[in-house]
């Protein structure tokens, strides 16, 4: 999972760099746990308290799921939109597009971590957000991946302010096995004082 997690970290840093207001709120949350000058490593308990950062990571994974396309083989006949699809058919699921369904995500291209506040997720269809797949074949490492991403992103934000060289429109995406930033993500890192 290092490749998928690395991609996820890259995208969340990029999106936070593009949204300095959100980045500052995340930094304030981090600072409430790690006061300036506190260089101790984060514990799991610390990471669990970073709720805004977790919402930012989830929103980044909504916009740029690390694995944007996966397949499943039907184990039984089903009907989809009036069409009979027999068992044994391989069905492609494109999370990148599922995550842009306006029924669940108004203004789907907008970066809005508050989409993941508890009151905004409780009525959402469970398969409207599938960055780790879903059901019996979902990613067994998803909780670890979120902790890993929180650990790295919070460590970066404790030390630096981020600014992006590119806009969202300028940043190209490569949908390979992993959703990658074409030509990398270019950021300016400014040391926090």
């Amino acid at each position: 999972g290092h490749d998928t997690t690395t991609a996820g970290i890259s995208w969340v840093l990029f999106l936070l760099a593009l949204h300095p207001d959100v980045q500052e709120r995340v930094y304030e949350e981090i600072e409430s746990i790690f006061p300036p000058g506190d260089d101790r490593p984060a514990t799991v308990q610390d990471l669990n308290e970073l709720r805004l950062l977790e919402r930012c990571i989830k929103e980044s994974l909504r916009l740029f799921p690390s694995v944007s396309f996966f397949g499943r083989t039907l184990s039984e006949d089903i009907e989809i939109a009036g069409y009979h699809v027999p068992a044994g058919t391989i069905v492609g699921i494109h999370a990148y597009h599922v995550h842009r369904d306006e029924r669940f995500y108004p203004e789907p291209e907008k970066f809005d971590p508050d989409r993941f506040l508890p009151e905004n997720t409780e009525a959402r269809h469970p398969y409207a957000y599938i960055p780790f797949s879903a059901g019996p074949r979902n990613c067994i490492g998803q909780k670890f991946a979120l902790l890993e991403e929180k650990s790295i992103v919070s460590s970066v934000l404790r030390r630096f302010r981020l600014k992006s060289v590119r806009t969202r429109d300028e940043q190209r995406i490569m949908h390979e096995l992993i959703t990658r930033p074409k030509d990398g993500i270019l950021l300016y890192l400014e040391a926090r004082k």
Side-chain angles (χ1 to χ4, degrees), residues 1-12 66 148-149 178 180-181:
H2 67 279
D3 215 10
T4 52
T5 306
T6 302
I9 291 166
S10 297
W11 290 117
V12 73
S66 295
E148 190 175 14
E149 289 190 34
I178 308 296
R180 299 181 191 284

Side-chain angles (χ1 to χ4, degrees), residues 11 13 49-51 53 71 73-74 79 82-83 88 104 106 112 123-124 135 147 152 154 159 174 192-193:
W11 290 117
L13 291 173
E49 291 180 36
L50 296 173
R51 291 178 182 89
L53 177 55
T73 303
L74 296 179
E79 190 168 307
Y83 293 95
F104 304 108
D112 181 6
R124 187 179 298 144
L147 285 173
I152 299 297
S154 67
R159 293 162 181 80
M174 297 186 318
R192 293 187 185 273
K193 300 205 167 44

Side-chain angles (χ1 to χ4, degrees), residues 23 42 55 58 61 77-78 82 92 98 100 108 119 135 141 147 164 173 180-181 186 193:
Q23 181 183 161
R55 292 196 316 269
K58 287 180 175 180
L61 287 169
D77 292 3
I78 63 169
V98 169
R100 284 163 169 73
E119 61 268 24
L147 285 173
S164 179
I173 304 167
R180 299 181 191 284
L186 304 177
K193 300 205 167 44

Side-chain angles (χ1 to χ4, degrees), residues 29-65:
E29 179 181 66
I30 293 167
E31 201 174 35
S32 73
I33 297 167
F34 305 99
D38 183 351
D39 289 335
R40 70 181 172 81
T43 66
V44 172
Q45 181 180 342
D46 295 331
L47 297 175
N48 285 332
E49 291 180 36
L50 296 173
R51 291 178 182 89
L52 174 56
L53 177 55
E54 182 167 323
R55 292 196 316 269
C56 291
I57 291 168
K58 287 180 175 180
E59 178 69 346
S60 297
L61 287 169
R62 182 188 71 79
L63 289 166
F64 302 104

Side-chain angles (χ1 to χ4, degrees), residues 85-167:
V85 186
T89 301
I90 298 173
V91 177
I93 300 157
H94 205 279
Y96 185 88
H97 289 105
V98 169
H99 292 169
R100 284 163 169 73
D101 188 327
E102 291 184 352
R103 294 174 297 171
F104 304 108
Y105 304 106
E107 298 181 82
E109 292 298 331
K110 180 181 176 185
F111 176 70
D112 181 6
D114 289 346
R115 295 180 201 272
F116 291 92
L117 285 167
E119 61 268 24
N120 294 334
T121 59
E122 59 192 24
R124 187 179 298 144
H125 192 284
Y127 294 136
Y129 180 70
I130 51 173
F132 298 100
S133 184
R137 299 276 318 271
N138 72 343
C139 173
I140 61 171
Q142 62 184 298
K143 287 184 178 161
F144 179 76
L146 284 174
L147 285 173
E148 190 175 14
E149 289 190 34
K150 279 184 182 181
S151 178
I152 299 297
V153 173
S154 67
S155 292
V156 170
L157 292 178
R158 283 169 76 177
R159 293 162 181 80
F160 301 101
R161 273 187 191 82
L162 308 173
K163 293 181 184 176
S164 179
V165 173
R166 297 185 185 118
T167 65

